[in-house]
Amino acid sequence: MKILYQAANWLSKKTGVRSDYILHFGVCSLSTSIIGLTSFLVVNHFLGYIPALVASLFGAVFALGLSLGKEFGDKNNPNSAWSWGDLVADLAGALTGLVINYLLIIQ
């Protein structure tokens, strides 16, 4: 976990983007890809077929649900606050993960 924070801080210094946004982008992109690919493989194994786009969208919706839950928790925490910037970074990560996942599946 420490290496992720170090990488985000390094990238933040190079790009000028807050490290918090980089972490939100990366986690959302990764969770979208993992959930989408896993749902594609599991559903295809047990039920026979799921379109690649549906599996990819499922991963993105799941990741955005996690993001909204995290922000809702931040809103209710007296030491934190709701952040639209975090949600924008999450959305960008989910869209990136969706595209990557879809391209991996259709190959």
Side-chain angles (χ1 to χ4, degrees):
M1 194 64 133
K2 184 178 177 182
I3 196 163
L4 285 176
Y5 287 113
Q6 290 174 341
N9 286 332
W10 176 83
L11 194 56
S12 177
K13 290 176 186 173
K14 296 291 182 185
T15 62
V17 176
R18 284 181 29 191
S19 62
D20 181 41
Y21 294 160
I22 293 169
L23 290 171
H24 275 269
F25 177 87
V27 168
C28 234
S29 179
L30 189 63
S31 62
T32 297
S33 295
I34 289 172
I35 297 299
L37 187 58
T38 302
S39 67
F40 178 77
L41 295 173
V42 169
V43 171
N44 275 340
H45 179 72
F46 290 109
L47 298 178
Y49 180 72
I50 183 173
L53 184 59
V54 172
S56 300
L57 285 171
F58 178 73
V61 168
F62 184 86
L64 291 173
L66 290 175
S67 301
L68 286 172
K70 190 250 183 231
E71 289 306 316
F72 186 72
D74 284 349
K75 178 183 176 230
N76 293 320
N77 181 351
N79 298 324
S80 190
W82 183 276
S83 172
W84 288 105
D86 289 352
L87 286 176
V88 169
D90 292 333
L91 179 61
L95 290 174
T96 302
L98 187 145
V99 170
I100 290 169
N101 192 40
Y102 181 73
L103 293 175
L104 285 173
I105 291 173
I106 63 171
Q107 290 298 330

